[in-house]
Amino acid sequence: MTHIEEQEYIQRIKDGDSNAYAFLVDKYKNMAYTIALKMIKDPAEAEDAAQESFIKAYEAIRSFKGDGKFSTWLYTIVYRTCLALIRQRKAMPVSEKPPDEYYNRYDDQPHKLEKMQQEEKSKYINRAINELPANEAILVTLYYMNENTIKEINEITGQSTANIKVQLFRARKKLEQKLSGLI
């Protein structure tokens, strides 16, 4: 979907077509859930946080000006919703393993052996990302999985550009150490 098509859906929503919002939810639900899961570490709570974020975004859609990407605006809402939930709990929970089936989506690969190898690599990478501190895990997810720019991550998290770059550098080094020899 192009930026223009996305803007058309947003305008339809602003004009009262609530069904148009279902399209945007469907497009961004997986990444919203992934961000929430990386931050909260609990699949059920992450799903609740993602849903709450979509409700907040729908209620505030009139404030979206369209200057930037809708995804950046939405992921900012997800990020802040998760931060609020974490603050409510007063402490980060013990890390839980995310559901592997969520990340292993390689059905279009032709050979089963290649698919199995790719799934195995993906499993190791996801485990390694989940072992990172929560802030580094979310930055890695936003930058590599969602392909957000440093500027967009700055808008989402409110962290300085320099801090994001340093944390991404450290996270890459940690991932490299964890994964060396496994993949």
Side-chain angles (χ1 to χ4, degrees):
M1 173 191 301
T2 67
H3 181 69
I4 294 170
E5 291 172 322
E6 198 169 81
Q7 290 299 321
E8 289 173 6
Y9 274 97
I10 292 167
Q11 189 56 50
R12 285 177 42 197
I13 296 164
K14 288 179 179 181
D15 291 340
D17 181 2
S18 59
N19 292 330
Y21 193 62
F23 182 81
L24 293 175
V25 169
D26 190 51
K27 180 176 180 183
Y28 294 111
K29 67 184 177 186
N30 290 339
M31 188 49 68
Y33 173 76
T34 300
I35 291 168
L37 185 62
K38 295 288 185 212
M39 292 181 72
I40 297 175
K41 307 283 188 201
D42 178 83
E45 286 186 37
E47 189 172 322
D48 289 345
Q51 288 175 359
E52 184 179 334
S53 299
F54 278 110
I55 292 168
K56 287 178 180 179
Y58 181 76
E59 291 171 347
I61 195 79
R62 296 202 180 281
S63 70
F64 178 69
K65 294 177 180 39
D67 300 342
K69 292 166 49 177
F70 175 77
S71 61
T72 302
W73 182 76
L74 175 65
Y75 299 153
T76 302
I77 294 171
V78 174
Y79 182 81
R80 291 179 181 164
T81 299
C82 291
L83 283 179
L85 289 172
I86 291 168
R87 282 188 209 113
Q88 286 175 358
R89 289 191 296 189
K90 303 281 187 201
M92 291 293 293
V94 177
S95 177
E96 290 184 22
K97 180 184 170 210
D100 287 334
E101 63 272 7
Y102 178 78
Y103 297 103
N104 296 328
R105 297 180 184 215
Y106 300 102
D107 295 334
D108 57 331
Q109 291 188 2
H111 305 293
K112 290 187 182 238
L113 180 59
E114 287 177 15
K115 179 181 175 184
M116 287 174 35
Q117 290 171 337
Q118 190 63 34
E119 287 175 350
E120 193 66 22
K121 287 179 184 179
S122 178
K123 196 182 311 183
Y124 284 119
I125 292 169
N126 286 315
R127 283 184 188 156
I129 290 171
N130 287 330
E131 290 175 10
L132 292 173
N135 196 42
E136 290 177 359
I138 192 68
L139 293 177
V140 168
T141 300
L142 288 170
Y143 191 73
Y144 290 105
M145 294 174 70
N146 191 36
E147 299 179 355
N148 287 97
T149 64
I150 298 292
K151 184 177 186 247
E152 291 170 338
I153 295 171
N154 166 268
E155 292 172 21
I156 292 169
T157 64
Q159 296 180 31
S160 71
T161 301
N163 190 30
I164 292 168
K165 289 179 180 179
V166 168
Q167 287 188 35
L168 278 172
F169 177 79
R170 289 179 184 159
R172 279 192 297 265
K173 290 294 182 188
K174 289 176 186 176
L175 286 173
E176 184 180 339
Q177 289 174 348
K178 290 177 187 294
L179 296 172
S180 65
L182 295 177
I183 297 178

